[in-house]
Amino acid sequence: MIQNLLNAVVLGSTYSLIAIGLTMVYGILKILHIAHAGVYTLGAYIGLYALYAFDNNFWIALVLAMLATGIAGVLIYRGMYYYMLKESRIVPLISSIGLFIALQELFRLFAGPYQKAFPAKSGFPRVETSWFSLTSAQGLIIVLTAVSFLALYLIIGKTKIGLGWQVCEQDIDMAGAMGVNVNRSIALNFFISSMLAGAAGVLMALYRNSVYPTMGAMVSYKAFVVVVLGGFGNVTGCIVAGLLLAFVETFLGHLEWFEFPRDAIAFLVLISVLIFRPKGLFGRK
Amino acid sequence: MAIGYYLTVGVFMGIFSILTISLNILTGYAKQVSLGHAAFFGIGAYTSAMLTTNYGLTFWQALPCVIIITAFIGTLLGLPSLRVSHDFLVLSTIGLNFIVGGVFRYFSFFGGSMGIIGVPPPRMFGSPLGNMGYFLLTLAFLILTILTSYYFSKTWGRLAMEAMGEDEIAAKSMGINVPKFKTYAFALSSAYAGIAGALWAHYVGSVFPGNFSFDRSVAILSMLVFGGMGTIRGALLGAFLLRLFPELFRFIQDYRMLVYGGILVVMIRFQPMGLLGKGSVLWNGLEWFARKIRGGPIQEGTT
Amino acid sequence: MTKLLETKDLCKYFGGLRAVDGVDMGIDEGRILGIIGPNGAGKTTVFNLIMGYYKPTRGEIKLNGERIDGLEPHRIVRKGIARTFQIVRPFTGLSVLENVLVAYGHRYYARSGSLWGRYGRASHEALEILGFTGLARRKDLPASTLPIGFQRRLEIARGLALNPALLLLDEPAAGLTEVEIAELKGLIRNIVEAGITVTLVEHRMSFVMDICENIIVLDQGKRIAEGDPETVANDPEVIEAYLGSKEGEDAED
């Protein structure tokens, strides 16, 4: 039982790590950044090639992957969304879907369609008790999620960067008038959210010991479920919702008579929440 | 042999044209972006396949049931749209692919992952349709789809959907019952998609859960965006070209998802109205050219 | 004089904010009523309550003696009230003519079979409205390309096409030039002559004083004065409410 709960916490942490970025982008631009899933996979692949290059050193791979995905995020903003802010909302939405699919295909073409092993050793200690065991990857996921959540919390609450985001969230035109460098503020937002997605990609690759082109698809759809459950733009809600979804999945996955695929469960949850609580479980009414 | 190949390409082109036109009602007119159109397509295909194999109906007897059932399920699956805005609707439509696919795969009632095989070809004049016959049948359905959806584009229904898609608050102030017209859009769109599904199932002869995946939904949306959202001519051109390219250039087959994705990004970024949509460069040029040939007065911005 | 529309103890609270707080008012049939007040007085909220965009926290709204509060906006439109928006909301993808045609549909939208009725049949009537509002020559332009003055006319044209008994105009003069305002006054007078009751919310005192026969003044959600322009302009309470925003005379929003 405790083991199941822990597994759910690990799963939920990765969902939240991706969902935080989505929530941040949605908060500031009101864009549903579907291509975020591509950024997550990009992180895993960069991490993988960094492992090859730097003698399987996990920490170098993680840092490189985060940097690269951060930059990729900024490029996505400057190259695509930047031109679509004044258009109707269907415009950035469709291009985001397109970019996600194109990225996924690029990974397949460059790295091949097959799963690749992720042979890293992080050196993180393994925890073993009589009730449960926590592999080093699992422990790392929990710790890193907690750390990035805390860091983000401080950035949003205590720094000028966070203040800039909050002003932009209220009213982008107004933010410009109040002396916030809107473009830099948004670019930074993309940098950090994409970085977290990249980190999530590397961690997931380590945990599952595999990297493949479509790894972003399912996980990120679930991240969207988490964003919706968490009440759009709400970072704390995101964490809680991520854990909640993971618990529901783990629990239903263990019912013998309930054979319905786990992946479809996430969407059933999503659609029910959208119908019955369109502002999310933790959203303000 | 050669003619058979062209007929096959033609049949699939026809089926995808019907699908793209059906998506145009939902996404082009009512502006409800759907990435779950393959689900409606699949429901049509499964309904027709099951009615003809398990319940002994003929293609023609099954067809009205297909239309009614897909319209009904489309209405049900469209219910989230009444509560959520455009962006989040897309998420739930992505989910449709997985939920509908999951239902097909995990309930033995629907044949499970073995699917349904031995779907009979329709019979006309006492004998099963051959390749040529099926091509003509598809063509007939396509023409019927074009005519009916052209008629629809001239009705209050389309006008209300366009208004609602642009601005729900203003639409309400025009007396438009927004939930009702969203439901109409879903019902109508999925009914057409259901017909396309039935045509597909009886041509291929079998249906499997994997036939109606997310990838296929993306392909349909790409066709519409490429040709031009909101117009029947755009939907037709998009389906035609994007089915033609992979046939002409075999190597594209392997890159087709990349092409679909790329089209969504590049078209929307530079020509949001597609090749032939209202106000697109190409269409404006064609109109200007047509007027010049006719020698009529050149007006600015006539649609 | 008969009251076309009446509100009794109309209230709308947003959390702790009392946007509209116990307003009783009546709209006389066939006259022009102006609702004025400083920023945040609750003028637009009153319109949104009448049109059904908000549900009142308390109180009732009657049209010809029939309760309409709590109905959906599209039902209220069918009962005979139309509105324009302060910030124009044309359907930008549609042409000017199609924008007006949308409004003509309200008779058909109510019936399910009407989905299949051709809208082109109402073109003749729609063109008449466009002629009345001075938009006939621009009928085929995309609505988004119209200058603001004409977009405002388009809003009014759409409102008229709904064939309302009561037309609510939300800051119709906002963003217009002096010449356009003069034309607008003419248009509003023509509308009233055609038998439609007009109620408008406005910021510009001069405009309201000039055109309205009756004025209601709101301040912080409460009605503080009512009467003909002269009485209202000399009411000490009104003067005090406006004192803080004396320069509001020319404020555009």
Side-chain angles (χ1 to χ4, degrees):
Chain A
M1 188 63 205
I2 293 178
Q3 185 64 51
N4 281 339
L5 280 180
L6 271 177
N7 291 345
V9 169
V10 171
L11 196 63
S13 298
T14 52
Y15 292 164
S16 313
L17 213 47
I18 306 168
I20 286 174
L22 288 172
T23 282
M24 281 166 59
V25 171
Y26 188 79
I28 202 164
L29 288 186
K30 305 287 175 287
I31 286 176
L32 207 58
H33 180 31
I34 293 179
H36 202 60
V39 175
Y40 161 85
T41 316
L42 179 70
Y45 272 105
I46 301 233
L48 180 68
Y49 287 109
L51 281 187
Y52 293 162
F54 296 98
D55 195 24
N56 288 6
N57 187 322
F58 173 76
W59 297 100
I60 293 182
L62 181 67
V63 170
L64 279 179
M66 285 173 77
L67 274 178
T69 47
I71 292 168
V74 175
L75 288 178
I76 290 173
Y77 167 63
R78 287 303 308 205
M80 205 168 83
Y81 294 139
Y82 175 76
Y83 300 97
M84 301 174 175
L85 296 180
K86 298 269 175 252
E87 303 275 346
S88 102
R89 288 170 71 176
I90 181 172
V91 166
L93 183 63
I94 293 181
S95 58
S96 186
I97 294 164
L99 181 64
F100 162 58
I101 293 157
L103 278 176
Q104 200 167 289
E105 280 302 290
L106 285 175
F107 298 138
R108 189 176 64 87
L109 292 172
F110 283 115
Y114 309 108
Q115 294 202 2
K116 288 179 188 286
F118 196 83
K121 293 277 175 291
S122 64
F124 200 80
R126 181 185 164 89
V127 184
E128 190 108 34
T129 70
S130 48
W131 297 300
F132 64 90
S133 68
L134 205 56
T135 65
S136 96
Q138 287 180 315
L140 198 63
I141 288 176
I142 296 179
V143 170
L144 278 184
T145 306
V147 167
S148 29
F149 178 53
L150 211 66
L152 204 59
Y153 206 74
L154 290 177
I155 292 178
I156 292 176
K158 306 265 185 238
T159 66
K160 271 181 91 172
I161 303 170
L163 194 67
W165 290 345
Q166 281 171 13
V167 178
C168 287
E169 247 174 68
Q170 296 299 322
D171 187 335
I172 275 199
D173 299 323
M174 201 59 146
M178 285 170 64
V180 176
N181 186 338
V182 173
N183 260 323
R184 203 170 57 197
S185 195
I186 299 176
L188 207 59
N189 188 301
F190 267 86
F191 185 80
I192 294 179
S193 16
S194 306
M195 220 167 71
L196 292 178
V202 173
L203 288 173
M204 205 58 179
L206 177 74
Y207 179 41
R208 298 256 196 255
N209 189 21
S210 74
V211 178
Y212 51 99
T214 53
M215 66 185 276
M218 233 348 138
V219 177
S220 61
Y221 298 148
K222 287 180 189 165
F224 278 111
V225 178
V226 170
V227 171
V228 174
L229 283 170
F232 321 118
N234 178 340
V235 175
T236 318
C238 221
I239 297 277
V240 181
L243 295 176
L244 197 69
L245 179 67
F247 284 134
V248 171
E249 276 187 14
T250 313
F251 173 69
L252 288 179
H254 277 84
L255 293 181
E256 301 245 318
W257 50 267
F258 196 84
E259 285 195 334
F260 207 69
R262 259 163 55 144
D263 295 341
I265 294 172
F267 284 107
L268 283 175
V269 172
L270 172 75
I271 291 178
S272 349
V273 170
L274 285 177
I275 292 177
F276 298 110
R277 291 225 33 159
K279 299 264 183 211
L281 286 183
F282 308 103
R284 281 151 289 178
K285 264 278 170 185
Chain B
M1 186 62 222
I3 179 84
Y5 165 74
Y6 290 118
L7 288 176
T8 304
V9 172
V11 168
F12 284 121
M13 237 175 222
I15 290 171
F16 274 85
S17 299
I18 296 175
L19 271 176
T20 314
I21 290 173
S22 77
L23 183 64
N24 181 47
I25 292 171
L26 190 58
T27 302
Y29 297 156
K31 308 282 187 298
Q32 310 290 306
V33 180
S34 168
L35 270 180
H37 220 58
F40 300 133
F41 180 52
I43 290 167
Y46 262 82
T47 309
S48 197
M50 288 174 67
L51 287 175
T52 48
T53 53
N54 299 352
Y55 300 97
L57 297 189
T58 67
F59 174 80
W60 299 103
Q61 288 164 335
L63 194 64
C65 308
V66 168
I67 294 174
I68 291 166
I69 290 174
T70 47
F72 177 70
I73 298 180
T75 311
L76 282 186
L77 296 183
L79 286 181
S81 73
L82 306 185
R83 296 297 297 266
V84 294
S85 63
H86 300 315
D87 333 18
F88 294 97
L89 177 70
V90 169
L91 287 185
S92 49
T93 60
I94 291 177
L96 286 186
N97 295 297
F98 297 95
I99 293 172
V100 171
V103 168
F104 288 154
R105 186 167 288 127
Y106 285 86
F107 292 99
S108 52
F109 177 69
F110 298 102
S113 46
M114 307 303 291
I116 297 169
I117 50 169
V119 182
R123 298 173 74 89
M124 267 180 114
F125 314 113
S127 58
L129 278 181
N131 221 354
M132 178 55 109
Y134 212 96
F135 174 73
L136 293 176
L137 180 75
T138 312
L139 197 62
F141 271 104
L142 176 60
I143 290 170
L144 210 60
T145 304
I146 294 173
L147 289 179
T148 49
S149 74
Y150 178 75
Y151 180 83
F152 179 73
S153 76
K154 299 287 172 205
T155 63
W156 294 109
R158 184 216 127 207
L159 205 57
M161 282 177 199
E162 291 242 13
M164 168 195 88
E166 291 226 5
D167 185 338
E168 286 187 18
I169 292 178
K172 282 183 193 167
S173 80
M174 299 287 106
I176 294 168
N177 183 345
V178 169
K180 176 166 138 183
F181 279 94
K182 274 192 186 169
T183 312
Y184 273 153
F186 269 94
L188 200 58
S189 179
S190 49
Y192 279 120
I195 296 174
L199 283 172
W200 194 88
H202 290 271
Y203 188 65
V204 176
S206 60
V207 289
F208 299 103
N211 293 142
F212 311 102
S213 61
F214 176 60
D215 287 5
R216 187 141 275 175
S217 293
V218 173
I220 303 166
L221 183 66
S222 280
M223 290 172 185
L224 182 60
V225 168
F226 190 51
M229 279 185 282
T231 55
I232 297 168
R233 54 175 189 266
L236 272 173
L237 183 79
F240 179 76
L241 288 181
L242 287 191
R243 287 302 299 189
L244 186 68
F245 287 154
E247 301 297 338
L248 287 184
F249 312 103
R250 277 282 148 186
F251 69 92
I252 288 185
Q253 196 61 37
D254 197 38
Y255 301 86
R256 63 177 200 289
M257 286 311 286
L258 185 64
V259 172
Y260 294 148
I263 281 172
L264 289 180
V265 179
V266 175
M267 281 315 270
I268 283 282
R269 165 80 177 79
F270 296 102
Q271 277 282 288
M273 293 324 287
L275 287 180
L276 288 183
K278 254 193 233 173
S280 66
V281 171
L282 185 61
W283 184 250
N284 278 354
L286 285 175
E287 280 200 323
W288 179 84
F289 194 64
R291 242 177 270 120
K292 207 171 167 185
I293 289 176
R294 267 191 251 122
I298 294 174
Q299 267 177 297
E300 274 299 306
T302 312
T303 49
Chain C
M1 193 159 301
T2 52
K3 300 282 186 204
L4 183 60
L5 186 123
E6 275 182 294
T7 72
K8 203 177 283 171
D9 189 29
L10 189 63
C11 295
K12 180 68 191 175
Y13 304 156
F14 297 101
L17 176 74
R18 302 187 161 200
V20 174
D21 195 6
V23 170
D24 296 319
M25 62 175 216
I27 299 177
D28 295 327
E29 196 164 349
R31 295 176 76 188
I32 306 180
L33 170 71
I35 301 176
I36 61 170
N39 265 332
K43 297 163 293 184
T44 300
T45 312
V46 168
F47 273 13
N48 282 332
L49 284 167
I50 294 177
M51 288 308 298
Y53 285 97
Y54 300 148
K55 296 218 177 343
T57 309
R58 199 172 64 228
E60 47 189 64
I61 306 168
K62 281 181 179 165
L63 179 71
N64 287 323
E66 183 192 354
R67 288 279 293 265
I68 58 165
D69 47 289
L71 292 181
E72 290 283 316
H74 65 266
R75 299 220 173 271
I76 290 173
V77 170
R78 287 176 199 156
K79 297 263 181 212
I81 310 180
R83 75 169 296 177
T84 66
F85 292 94
Q86 178 185 349
I87 299 163
V88 290
R89 307 183 85 128
F91 302 119
T92 48
L94 301 181
S95 72
V96 169
L97 178 63
E98 284 169 325
N99 262 273
V100 176
L101 279 169
V102 168
Y104 266 105
H106 86 288
R107 284 173 254 167
Y108 307 93
Y109 298 143
R111 285 172 301 170
S112 290
S114 65
L115 190 66
W116 300 102
R118 290 172 79 105
Y119 63 79
R121 296 215 184 110
S123 294
H124 189 68
E125 299 165 70
L127 283 173
E128 246 169 54
I129 295 272
L130 286 178
F132 183 72
T133 47
L135 284 164
R137 278 182 51 222
R138 296 177 166 78
K139 67 181 169 64
D140 290 325
L141 291 179
S144 52
T145 61
L146 289 181
I148 177 75
F150 285 101
Q151 291 202 1
R152 188 79 60 189
R153 281 160 184 260
L154 178 57
E155 285 268 315
I156 296 175
R158 288 197 312 196
L160 289 175
L162 292 166
N163 194 20
L166 172 63
L167 181 61
L168 308 177
L169 304 175
D170 195 351
E171 304 220 9
L176 300 190
T177 64
E178 288 303 322
V179 179
E180 286 170 333
I181 288 180
E183 288 171 354
L184 178 67
K185 282 178 191 165
L187 178 58
I188 293 177
R189 291 201 177 99
N190 287 342
I191 291 170
V192 175
E193 249 165 58
I196 297 169
T197 307
V198 171
T199 296
L200 52 92
V201 155
E202 212 9 280
H203 219 83
R204 292 195 196 215
M205 290 290 267
S206 58
F207 182 81
V208 179
M209 293 295 163
D210 201 21
I211 196 166
C212 295
E213 294 154 272
N214 199 18
I215 293 176
I216 288 176
V217 188
L218 296 181
D219 186 28
Q220 296 177 10
K222 287 189 160 65
R223 192 185 71 172
I224 58 168
E226 179 171 5
D228 58 70
E230 193 121 348
T231 327
V232 166
N234 296 320
D235 190 310
E237 215 179 329
V238 175
I239 294 169
E240 202 190 304
Y242 264 90
L243 220 56
S245 54
K246 199 73 187 129
E247 67 277 22
E249 179 81 0
D250 307 280
E252 300 282 275
D253 45 3

